[in-house]
Amino acid sequence: MNELGTIDGALDEILVNLAAIVLRLSKPEITNTPDAQQALARSVHQYSVCASHSSDPRVHALKAELEATLRPRLRVIAGGGTKMS
């Protein structure tokens, strides 16, 4: 059973490293085309599938962080105050 624990730990380390790569690629200046955004969504989905089988809390935290990169980016628009009568 110790061998399985070693393999499981190694897979968790691979997932942590993979998440770091995908997070770097999720920057808006890199995912600025529809194709890049679709590729990011596929990568995050695949990571989430693998992460769901992990018991490592780092992997689950990174899963949540990656999933947050897919949420629409909100822009703050400062406008003049218009009065409504």
Side-chain angles (χ1 to χ4, degrees):
M1 287 302 273
N2 190 22
E3 205 171 294
L4 289 177
T6 302
I7 293 170
D8 192 45
L11 289 173
D12 287 335
E13 289 303 319
I14 291 169
L15 285 171
V16 168
N17 291 325
L18 178 61
I21 293 167
V22 176
L23 279 170
R24 282 194 298 271
L25 294 173
S26 71
K27 294 180 181 171
E29 57 271 10
I30 295 175
T31 56
N32 57 2
T33 66
D35 286 341
Q37 291 168 358
Q38 288 177 353
L40 174 63
R42 283 192 304 272
S43 295
V44 170
H45 174 73
Q46 287 296 319
Y47 183 88
S48 296
V49 169
C50 294
S52 67
H53 299 287
S54 173
S55 60
D56 190 323
R58 299 174 303 159
V59 172
H60 290 281
L62 288 164
K63 175 181 175 275
E65 192 173 344
L66 282 170
E67 288 172 343
T69 67
L70 298 180
R71 294 189 190 112
R73 294 178 179 102
L74 301 177
R75 290 184 292 160
V76 176
I77 300 173
T82 58
K83 293 183 180 180
M84 297 180 71
S85 336

